[in-house]
Amino acid sequence: MRSPKTISLLQHEIREGVLFLLPAMVLIFGITLFPILFTFVLSFTDTPLSNPSPQNFVGLSNYLSFLRSTQFWQAIWRTLYFTVVSVGVELLLGLGIALLIHARPPGWAFLRTSLIIPWAVPTIVNGALWRWIYNADYGALNGLLYSLGIIDKYRPWLTEPMRALNLVIVADIWHSVPFIALILQAALATLPLELDEAAAVDGANAWQRFWLIRLPLLRPAILVALVIRTVEAFRVFDIIYVITQGGPAFGTVTISYLTYLESFSYGHLGSGAALSFLITLFTLAMALIYVRLLYRPEVQG
Amino acid sequence: MRGLSRLLVFVVLVALLLAGCGGQAAAGPKVVKVLAMQQAGPTPEEMNAIVAEFNEKNPNVKVEIEYVSYDALHDKIVTAMATTPPSYDVILVDDIWYAEFAKAGYLWDVTDRVDAQTKEKVFAAAWDITTVNGRIYGMPWLLDAKYFYYNEKILKEAGFDHPPATWEELVEQARVIKEKGLVEYPIAWSWAQAEAAICDFVALLYGNGGRFVDDQGKPAFNDEKGVQVLEWMVKTIDEGISNPASVSYVEEDVRNVFSQGKAAFALNWLYMYDLAALDEKESQVVGQVKMSLVPVFEAMAKQGLKSATINGSMGFSVVDKSPNREAAWEYVKYLTSEDVQKRYAAHLLPIWSANYEGEALEALKALNPATPVTVPMFKEQFPYAHVRPKVPYYLEGSKALQLALQEALTKQKTPAQALNDAAAKWVELQSK
């Protein structure tokens, strides 16, 4: 049985604990929760950017007007295409590079270090870089293809919607492959060698060892890289802002770009907030799918 | 007891923290914060020098100035205006934002503070920039328009001794230039999905006798004249006269292409003259660059129209919510005063018409190597400059028109269809 003294000590500790936690809670509420709740409230109003306190409740009409607009669905489609292609290619290339480094060919340390460079370049700088590379009249891409004899005269690259989207994807891949490669390479380095060796003794060939042993063991690392990159790719904005400004003919307007236009260029804070929440729903759904597909308990630890 | 004292310490700390955040500046000169841009117009050094002069003459006011790029300016202003008091007391406003900002209540109405003399001595066209529904919301400052540039050397090699006066003549000259292999694509445009495309389109539209909106403010850019212009734009790309990369180019790309000698003609703001014609570091065509009036279409030329272009000017305004409006307005007046404008006219032509007459004109022309050309050219071209509609939904309407131009240029829609769709969007925005 507890004495009254212990209880008061316990209460004291709780009180102290709460006191110590309070600043952190205030910060988290102020920086994370409050803006989310505020945005949620805004998304049901027609608040203009010029007077950003919630007003004029309009119910679901912001959401409904987007769900009914072709511009919204085209942007969603483009964003999905961007995400699937860029993350897919990044994963394959990243895995290949990770395996290559892991095999420690001559110069692997140099390779691993230089791999950081594209990732270390800020996205805005990366965008400016590729904008120059793709330039029709003095870009490096034209220069390269021309001097290799692949094209007979300089051509414009960013003037067709679908091609522009693909070229923006290439720029994004160049930037993000290193991230996936480094995560997977780090994961590879921690895998227990015994399993691999045992399988080799049992006569498994290199492909079988990769497919049946290493890949399943890499699954948690792949999941982490995929979730981070998918969410990032789904919210892609800056690289498009720099390379194409959403053009040509809205061909590279992704859902985040649409949100930017809606909120800041057109000044519709309410519908911009609704778009942000739609993006959140989509990313949440994708994260859940990943967890279902890849996060199997038996491969943990 | 101990707990209580700790709580007290905590409360005091929080109070101190809050006081530190929201603390008022000690008594001293009134601070006037200015948001300007670092792009076209005077250099930051020149702007800073004007600020220093003002601060010295007004010891009770302290002006602090900040610069952003043009593309960041609008969004920076609208986010800064959300706080009270706002982060800036004076802002640089583009022609096309005045209606939006006036409606949002950002700008101080200075109609009664502009005296009759000032009103009369500043170009009438300049007042159009800062005036919305008859009220004046600031001082005009940067008067700019798109000018027509040509490479005299290429024209001479093609056998032409004069620049084209009409767009039809330009096409003829361009065909010869292309056939002779002097350049692959004789003219470069800024037709990317940006405001730049609207500027070029408006210059062509008025040169064909078209109008952006009619007298009732309804869209008119999709009438017969507008469709003809967009069809012409598409045709010149198909024929290889316009650089096909124009669809992804803004003004800086046009300047680069033209400065490399890869275009014989270009449409651009005044800033390109100094950089393309005189600056060895920026240009490979130094000494070959000339300017002339922006051409018009032949049918309009026959009716006596000499030129048509786009007005891309800016003004300085005082923020309505500013606690120091009077001091801020004094600074704006100083910055745009006749004396200051005359002394700092190297990269910014004055808004005062008196500077363009008699001795003052000669002094203005003698300011730097560019002004002997740019000053007379400005005087000749600016009267033909057309402003875009002053409506609060301009940016959204403009985006719809940018999309239409691009849809036609990338062959996703016919010019008529694309322009009609944009006009429908414009009508929808009006009814909101």
Side-chain angles (χ1 to χ4, degrees), chain B residues 131-148:
Chain B
T131 305
V132 182
N133 298 330
R135 307 299 294 177
I136 300 173
Y137 288 97
M139 282 299 285
W141 176 68
L142 176 74
L143 300 185
D144 210 349
K146 283 222 174 175
Y147 292 81
F148 184 73

Side-chain angles (χ1 to χ4, degrees), chain A residues 41-211:
Chain A
V41 172
L42 277 183
S43 73
F44 296 103
T45 67
D46 65 353
T47 307
L49 184 58
S50 54
N51 186 7
S53 46
Q55 46 193 299
N56 272 349
F57 185 76
V58 294
L60 283 170
S61 80
N62 284 335
Y63 289 93
L64 291 177
S65 71
F66 279 121
L67 293 175
R68 282 195 212 111
S69 92
T70 44
Q71 204 162 62
F72 171 80
W73 288 109
Q74 281 170 350
I76 286 281
W77 182 87
R78 266 180 227 120
T79 312
L80 282 175
Y81 177 83
F82 183 96
T83 308
V84 169
V85 175
S86 72
V87 177
V89 175
E90 281 162 19
L91 184 67
L92 288 179
L93 280 178
L95 187 61
I97 293 172
L99 289 169
L100 186 70
I101 294 176
H102 190 65
R104 307 209 166 184
W108 69 275
F110 174 74
L111 182 66
R112 194 179 60 181
T113 313
S114 54
L115 200 58
I116 309 255
I117 295 170
W119 179 246
V121 172
T123 332
I124 290 285
V125 178
N126 183 41
L129 189 83
W130 284 90
R131 192 182 149 80
W132 274 85
I133 291 175
Y134 292 148
N135 186 287
D137 287 281
Y138 44 83
L141 181 62
N142 268 328
L144 179 74
L145 295 179
Y146 184 77
S147 54
L148 289 176
I150 296 173
I151 52 174
D152 58 349
K153 65 175 187 190
Y154 279 27
R155 55 166 74 177
W157 295 105
L158 298 172
T159 52
E160 216 188 274
M162 199 60 210
R163 187 165 58 202
L165 185 59
N166 284 324
L167 290 174
V168 172
I169 289 177
V170 169
D172 186 65
I173 290 172
W174 183 81
H175 178 64
S176 301
V177 159
F179 171 75
I180 292 190
L182 289 174
I183 283 198
L184 297 186
Q185 193 261 335
L188 273 172
T190 63
L191 293 188
L193 282 173
E194 305 85 50
L195 288 173
D196 213 40
E197 282 164 7
V201 170
D202 289 341
N205 63 25
W207 173 251
Q208 286 170 324
R209 292 207 303 278
F210 167 73
W211 190 249

Side-chain angles (χ1 to χ4, degrees), chain A residues 16 19 49-50 52 131 135-138 153 156 158-159 161 241 245-250 260-261 264-266 268, chain B residues 6-7 74-75 78-79 82 104 106 184 193-194 243-245 249 253 256-257 260 262 395-396 399 403 406 410 412:
Chain A
E16 220 163 57
L19 214 55
L49 184 58
S50 54
R131 192 182 149 80
N135 186 287
D137 287 281
Y138 44 83
K153 65 175 187 190
L158 298 172
T159 52
Y241 180 77
Q245 292 189 286
F250 267 53
Y260 164 77
L261 287 177
F264 294 104
S265 295
Y266 309 160
H268 306 320
Chain B
R6 275 188 212 178
L7 194 68
H74 174 270
D75 299 350
V78 292
T79 43
Y106 296 162
E184 174 83 33
Q193 185 172 303
N243 190 323
Y249 279 172
D253 303 295
N256 286 330
V257 171
Q260 291 180 1
K262 289 185 173 177
L395 282 195
E396 198 168 358
K399 200 48 100 183
L403 176 62
Q406 293 242 310
T410 57
Q412 298 179 24

Side-chain angles (χ1 to χ4, degrees), chain B residues 300-361:
Chain B
M300 291 309 292
K302 276 184 190 148
Q303 293 179 32
L305 183 67
K306 277 178 76 182
S307 181
T309 190
I310 174 88
N311 185 332
S313 301
M314 301 178 96
F316 267 105
S317 294
V318 174
V319 172
D320 193 50
K321 280 195 292 181
S322 158
N324 301 318
R325 294 192 300 202
E326 299 288 345
W329 176 239
E330 285 309 312
Y331 169 70
V332 171
K333 278 201 295 190
Y334 186 77
L335 176 65
T336 54
S337 65
E338 199 169 350
D339 167 58
V340 169
Q341 285 229 302
K342 207 158 55 186
R343 283 187 289 117
Y344 290 91
H347 298 103
L348 173 80
L349 299 176
I351 55 173
W352 303 83
S353 50
N355 286 312
Y356 297 86
E357 279 146 29
E359 274 177 43
L361 176 65

